[in-house]
Amino acid sequence: MNGTTIIPVCEEPALEKPNISKALKRFGIIILALGVIVIVFGLKTWKDAGEFKRLEYQSQLDCRVAHGVESSEDITVDPETGMAFISSVARGLDRDKTLPAHGAIFAYDLESADPQLVNLTPDIDRKLDGGFFPHGISLYIGENGARSLFVINHRTTGDFVEIFDYTDGRLVHRRSVSGALMHSPNDLLAVGPDSFYVGNDHGADSFIGQVLEDFLKLPRSFVLFFDGKQFRKAAQGLRYANGFALSRDGKTLFVGETTGRGVRIYERDPKTNALELKDTLPLDTGVDNLEMDARGGIWIGAHPKLLTFVRHAKDARKPSPSQIIRLTPKQGGGFTVKDMHLEEGLRLPASSVAAPYKNKVLIGVVFAPQFGVCEIK
């Protein structure tokens, strides 16, 4: 050895070039997976909304179309006198962007040979701060025969329940009820002179939250009970709580679910007004309002294709099918389900209620300025 020290030279490792093709491949897989998820979710949403159903239009009713209202979203009939009450207000997203004209409650006497519409609330908008925009209604008949009409009112200042006394063919405003828990009321059921159940059709009070509830079918809707002084939650976990009906003995409460596409059946304690879920009746249609007939049958206005209904809400010129269902109690329990009316919506689009009286049925619609006057075949 000559004493020379050899120092090894350390070469820097070569930097690995990014594999662009692999990154693009991973990105493509992610995009494809997301696309598949969106498609599957979209198809499921369409299926759940009834858009793939083939409807066979038929009717057990002879109907004519009556005019003179802005809409007829809810109708109820006094079972003793045949006087019908119709909730009417201009609705629809294709209307003027300004607020619609104030609504009205109309009377329509089914015992008359030539019934005429009578506006029972011609001046009420001047008495209520925020106007009168009626939605769901319910008639209460006391043990002494006194009658009160309960009306959900979407004022510009908030949501209220207006309580009217009906005397001598007139509605006299008696009370307004509001509360923080009642933020999206749709329909209600009066069970006393000042007490009622009311459904918040959404649990969320924001627009985005409500849209998510509808399309994801989240069970966040709930039912409130007002005892004359305060609200409390009576039932939870519903999907778009809507119409109400009460059995003749007051021990069974029926609640329609629109996006839940069925009816919840609750045992009711008439003394405490507490509710306990007893059963769920799937109907494969968007259930709207419920009305009870003299035999204990339940008449339902429904929307068999919910996304078509949404398109109709945006443009009333696009029809939405109407479906009327009757639930008839069976001996030993349960119900027979029968389609009483199913049409494409060219005459009576988007049926929301079927109010029976003897052999007659009034069909209400959400957006069209009309209602159906029908007789059972």
Side-chain angles (χ1 to χ4, degrees):
M1 300 293 294
N2 55 10
T4 303
T5 302
I6 301 175
I7 301 175
V9 177
C10 295
E11 296 183 357
E12 293 184 3
L15 295 177
E16 184 178 351
K17 295 181 179 180
N19 193 324
I20 298 177
S21 62
K22 286 185 179 181
L24 289 175
K25 187 176 181 180
R26 292 194 196 100
F27 181 73
I29 292 173
I30 293 172
I31 293 298
L32 180 61
L34 290 175
V36 171
I37 292 172
V38 169
I39 292 172
V40 170
F41 175 76
L43 291 173
K44 184 179 184 302
T45 299
W46 272 64
K47 180 180 180 296
D48 291 345
E51 295 299 311
F52 294 135
K53 287 197 303 184
R54 294 186 62 182
L55 304 178
E56 296 183 5
Y57 302 115
Q58 53 81 29
S59 184
Q60 305 300 314
L61 308 174
D62 286 322
C63 299
R64 65 177 178 85
V65 177
H67 300 274
V69 296
E70 288 287 348
S71 65
S72 51
E73 197 279 339
D74 202 7
I75 304 174
T76 193
V77 182
D78 187 324
E80 298 176 6
T81 68
M83 183 62 72
F85 300 90
I86 303 175
S87 173
S88 175
V89 69
R91 289 187 176 89
L93 300 181
D94 62 326
R95 307 251 182 178
D96 293 338
K97 299 302 181 182
T98 57
L99 288 172
H102 294 286
I105 300 295
F106 288 96
Y108 190 78
D109 188 359
L110 290 175
E111 285 290 349
S112 171
D114 184 25
Q116 302 294 319
L117 287 167
V118 178
N119 189 344
L120 298 177
T121 56
D123 302 316
I124 190 64
D125 58 288
R126 302 175 187 174
K127 302 176 182 178
L128 301 176
D129 180 30
F132 189 57
F133 305 93
H135 197 164
I137 60 177
S138 179
L139 179 68
Y140 175 74
I141 303 176
E143 295 181 359
N144 61 354
R147 285 156 165 77
S148 298
L149 189 72
F150 291 58
V151 182
I152 290 176
N153 181 16
H154 300 294
R155 301 191 199 180
T156 59
T157 55
D159 295 312
F160 290 78
V161 171
E162 315 292 356
I163 303 177
F164 298 85
D165 292 326
Y166 182 67
T167 56
D168 300 324
R170 298 171 56 245
L171 282 181
V172 180
H173 187 261
R174 172 162 55 89
R175 184 179 182 186
S176 298
V177 177
S178 64
L181 285 176
M182 187 179 70
H183 63 261
S184 60
N186 191 310
D187 195 24
L188 77 171
L189 177 78
V191 293
D194 290 279
S195 57
F196 56 87
Y197 294 94
V198 61
N200 274 333
D201 55 26
H202 292 86
D205 56 7
S206 68
F207 175 76
I208 295 298
Q210 292 182 356
V211 170
L212 289 175
E213 279 186 46
D214 290 342
F215 283 91
L216 298 179
K217 296 178 65 177
L218 301 177
R220 298 193 59 200
S221 175
F222 53 91
V223 174
L224 299 171
F225 177 72
F226 182 75
D227 61 9
K229 296 181 180 179
Q230 60 185 3
F231 286 98
R232 70 170 186 265
K233 288 186 178 181
Q236 302 184 63
L238 290 91
R239 293 176 171 86
Y240 204 111
N242 206 324
F244 290 87
L246 186 65
S247 62
R248 297 300 178 192
D249 62 6
K251 295 181 179 180
T252 305
L253 181 70
F254 303 87
V255 184
E257 291 183 284
T258 302
T259 57
R261 301 174 70 81
V263 174
R264 294 273 185 114
I265 304 172
Y266 295 89
E267 286 188 3
R268 173 179 177 260
D269 186 332
K271 294 182 179 179
T272 65
N273 291 287
L275 302 178
E276 182 177 348
L277 183 62
K278 179 180 178 182
D279 201 1
T280 299
L281 179 63
L283 292 174
D284 193 28
T285 191
V287 174
D288 207 315
N289 292 309
L290 314 180
E291 289 288 323
M292 186 81 67
D293 66 23
R295 297 182 179 181
I298 299 174
W299 290 72
I300 301 173
H303 311 289
K305 295 190 174 186
L306 287 173
L307 294 181
T308 299
F309 172 75
V310 171
R311 291 192 291 273
H312 173 69
K314 295 179 180 178
D315 184 351
R317 294 167 296 184
K318 298 178 180 178
S320 180
S322 288
Q323 185 175 21
I324 304 300
I325 298 172
R326 183 183 183 184
L327 307 181
T328 303
K330 295 190 295 186
Q331 290 186 350
F335 292 88
T336 299
V337 181
K338 184 176 182 179
D339 271 330
M340 298 300 294
H341 182 80
L342 182 60
E343 65 160 273
E344 63 271 36
L346 297 178
R347 297 179 67 220
L348 293 168
S351 59
S352 53
V353 65
Y357 178 72
K358 295 183 178 179
N359 69 323
K360 299 179 180 179
V361 179
L362 297 183
I363 296 179
V365 297
V366 182
F367 302 107
Q370 60 207 46
F371 61 99
V373 182
C374 310
E375 291 190 5
I376 303 173
K377 293 181 181 179

